[in-house]
Amino acid sequence: MQKGIIGKKLGMTQLFDANGKVVPVTIIEAGPCTVVQKKTVESDGYQAVQMGYGEVSAKKVNKVAKGHFDKADVAPKRTLREFRFDDIAAVNVGDILKADVFAEGDKVDVVGTSKGKGYQGVIKRFGQHRLRESHGTGPVARHAGSNGSTSSPSRVFKGKRLPGHMGAVRVTVQNLSIVKVDAENNLIAIKGAIPGPKGSVVTIHDSVKA
């Protein structure tokens, strides 16, 4: 059965494996998540399960969202995410999913929003090199350089790497391994780093490539 869950990134630490090697891990508070809606091919054109994570006061939910939660007879949730599964027969509205849906050794993909870096230059944004700070360089050692300045092409090509907004985009990290699952505290330790700052919401689902 396919699996998926919503969680919150708590930070990074390290664990020791059976051979005594240090394994860098990211700790995620996974769930509990409540199934809010089942989407079917007949009613929605595709098949998916919508889950809710995190409590929120009913006063902070608008009428549309309140009606959505009331229809499912579940308490309002702060975050809603959809998971497209091939088979959703075993899942019902109101079911609560916890960290133990995953097990040690599972391969997963983690989706999150990367840290926002603001407006950055081409060196930080794309890893371009700087000019030599010798005679005549002036105060432009970190600048992008000339852009289509001659009569041919006398324009800037599309896709030219230029300074601009960096980060704060949806990022998926694939084929990560689950090192440990603490079902009692709803914690999952995943080997390696995942996108986003501490406290950010992430989704975990089965790896599409494993």
Side-chain angles (χ1 to χ4, degrees):
M1 178 183 168
Q2 292 171 298
K3 304 181 289 284
I5 201 167
I6 312 168
K8 180 172 69 175
K9 179 178 176 178
L10 299 183
M12 291 194 72
T13 184
Q14 58 188 27
L15 300 175
F16 292 91
D17 63 10
N19 299 319
K21 291 186 177 180
V22 172
V23 181
V25 295
T26 303
I27 304 298
I28 297 175
E29 181 189 76
C33 294
T34 305
V35 177
V36 178
Q37 185 183 11
K38 286 176 70 174
K39 298 197 172 184
T40 61
V41 176
E42 293 77 20
S43 62
D44 300 281
Y46 65 100
Q47 193 165 267
V49 173
Q50 186 186 74
M51 298 184 197
Y53 169 75
E55 302 299 325
V56 63
S57 171
K59 294 188 295 184
K60 296 183 179 180
V61 176
N62 61 29
K63 286 185 178 180
V64 177
K66 183 178 183 300
H68 184 61
F69 292 120
D70 288 347
K71 183 179 179 181
D73 195 25
V74 299
K77 301 298 177 183
R78 185 175 297 276
T79 303
L80 292 176
R81 292 287 188 274
E82 272 189 16
F83 296 86
R84 292 202 181 194
F85 296 148
D86 296 331
D87 182 17
I88 60 173
V91 182
N92 296 305
V93 173
D95 287 356
I96 296 177
L97 305 179
K98 298 184 178 180
D100 56 8
V101 297
F102 290 98
E104 183 178 329
D106 286 352
K107 290 285 188 178
V108 295
D109 295 343
V110 181
V111 182
T113 302
S114 62
K115 291 182 179 180
K117 307 290 186 182
Y119 188 93
Q120 296 298 333
V122 292
I123 293 179
K124 179 166 179 141
R125 196 178 182 202
F126 298 113
Q128 296 183 2
H129 66 77
R130 58 192 290 157
L131 297 174
R132 289 180 298 175
E133 293 194 70
S134 55
H135 294 292
T137 305
V140 294
R142 293 180 65 91
H143 286 205
S146 176
N147 280 333
S149 58
T150 58
S151 59
S152 174
S154 88
R155 65 188 175 91
V156 178
F157 289 115
K158 284 186 178 181
K160 170 70 177 171
R161 290 183 166 184
L162 295 169
H165 187 269
M166 181 180 176
V169 294
R170 176 187 166 102
V171 178
T172 301
V173 182
Q174 297 181 317
N175 265 359
L176 298 176
S177 299
I178 292 182
V179 177
K180 188 176 182 180
V181 176
D182 184 348
E184 186 177 341
N185 296 307
N186 270 333
L187 299 177
I188 295 179
I190 297 179
K191 183 178 180 180
I194 64 171
K198 294 177 182 177
S200 61
V201 174
V202 298
T203 58
I204 310 169
H205 57 83
D206 292 314
S207 177
V208 296
K209 291 184 177 178

